Amino acid sequence: MNHQQSSALFTKAKQVIPGGVNSPVRAFKSVGCDPIFIARAAGSKIFDADGNSYIDYVGSWGPMILGHCHPKVVEAIQQTAATGASFGAPTARETQLAEMVCEAYPNIEMVRMVSSGTEATMSAIRLARGYTGRDKILKFDGCYHGHADSLLVKAGSGLATFGVPTSPGVPADFAKHTLTATYNDLDDAKAMVAANPGEIACVILEPIAGNMGCVAPRAGFLEGLRQLCDAEGIVLVIDEVMTGFRVAYGGAQERFGVRGDLVCLGKIIGGGLPVGAFGGKREIMECLSPEGGVYQAGTLSGNPLAMSAGIATLELLKQDGFYDLIEEKSAYLCKGLQEAAAAAKVPTSLQRVGGMFCTYFQAEEVFNFEDVKPETPATFSRFFRTMLDEGINLAPSQYEAGFMSAAHSQEDLDRTIDAASKAFKNL
Ligand SMILES: *Cc1c(COP(=O)(O)O)cnc(C)c1O
């Protein structure tokens, strides 16, 4: 496959953008090749600057669950653009999307729109601290919650890919307020809470860990955290930026029946435009400025284009059978991948929840970050490069999930399985 144009564009980009990219994992560093530059996309496919096409399982890292350029979403954005891109004043669309969110997540009584997942988690934590009057937070190793200072401690995919557990530039004085525990280990979380009595404002977690691949919560883990938070007056922040509207319309909370006090959303809620949101109990949300004292703001928050894309997307996701379709396609693909790996005698642990999945290149199932063996990512990199060459676009890291869209056809899935058979044999 010819990547001449992408290479030239990358060389140029590196002169003016650090690493040539505006988000580190896009640089393909961990998979040992240069990134492809994208020219356009449609449905299940993306097309690079050299005119190569790929079946896309990145989906902009999750948002494109309808596939790229769904006509209804494109139309909504175009119509709104013609009436003004931004006013910095309230519009009816913000309330409309807020109502849709509250309807999908019964524990969200009030919601505030922001422009990214990072802003959502950062603001939710400030709010939890303001509400409880406590400073410490507890997160889990390998969970990523965006790049705010206090959350860049043992933060999964992006950092893991580059081998830095905690980012330089985060003052030790900030990081010391962030406690970490092992994912899926309730006793570890309990021990952290017991060691810091009355000091923890919130526990924040990915209800399905998608930034260390795809790790489902063990039975009782979410329920146990819910009880622990209730007993200790701790705010439970469920970060559904990836899983919200992905594994069910009501996210992982609908799937597992455990509810957070605060919930963070992003990715799908913006239909491909920059949107995040955080919401929850009225009593907590009313602590936010201008009702309460906890400050939070945004020039472009609730942006008309972004709200329109989000509303158009959610309207389509709400239709009967949408998530059954995603489930079916994902199950078919993963079964095919598993059979292909077995035929090539490649040990894998294929892990999936709904429309998100990960093939770990090791036989042992992954329940937490430590379970990923040191040699596993190198095998993934070889697999990744063959897949790319075969026209299949996967996220360029062992620690990322793959995402199914409604636009993936039976032919796409079969072509992907064929490509994988070849890639497994090539390892
Ligand atoms: C992507 C992601 C974020 C950060 O969202 P951005 O829009 O990239 O800032 C936060 N939490 C989770 C679980 C994510 O997957």
Side-chain angles (χ1 to χ4, degrees), residues 89-99 113 301-304 307 311:
T91 63
R93 283 191 199 89
E94 293 159 71
T95 311
Q96 195 185 340
L97 187 56
E99 284 170 351
M113 299 296 164
S301 293
N303 174 265
M307 294 298 103
I311 292 164

Side-chain angles (χ1 to χ4, degrees), residues 353-368:
V353 183
M356 56 191 274
F357 51 88
C358 179
T359 308
Y360 294 96
F361 285 84
Q362 59 182 51
E364 300 79 5
E365 190 171 349
V366 173
F367 294 102
N368 61 51

Side-chain angles (χ1 to χ4, degrees), residues 61 115-119 121 144-147 206 211 239-242 267 275:
W61 304 85
S115 299
S116 68
T118 293
E119 273 185 84
T121 55
Y144 178 67
H145 304 290
H147 62 91
E206 292 181 71
N211 287 286
D239 179 356
E240 295 235 41
V241 170
M242 184 185 289
K267 299 195 168 114
V275 183

Side-chain angles (χ1 to χ4, degrees), residues 97 100-101 245 249 268-269 310-318:
L97 187 56
M100 292 178 92
V101 169
F245 300 105
Y249 191 70
I268 289 176
I269 198 184
I311 292 164
T313 299
L314 297 198
E315 273 169 355
L316 290 159
L317 302 187
K318 253 170 92 168

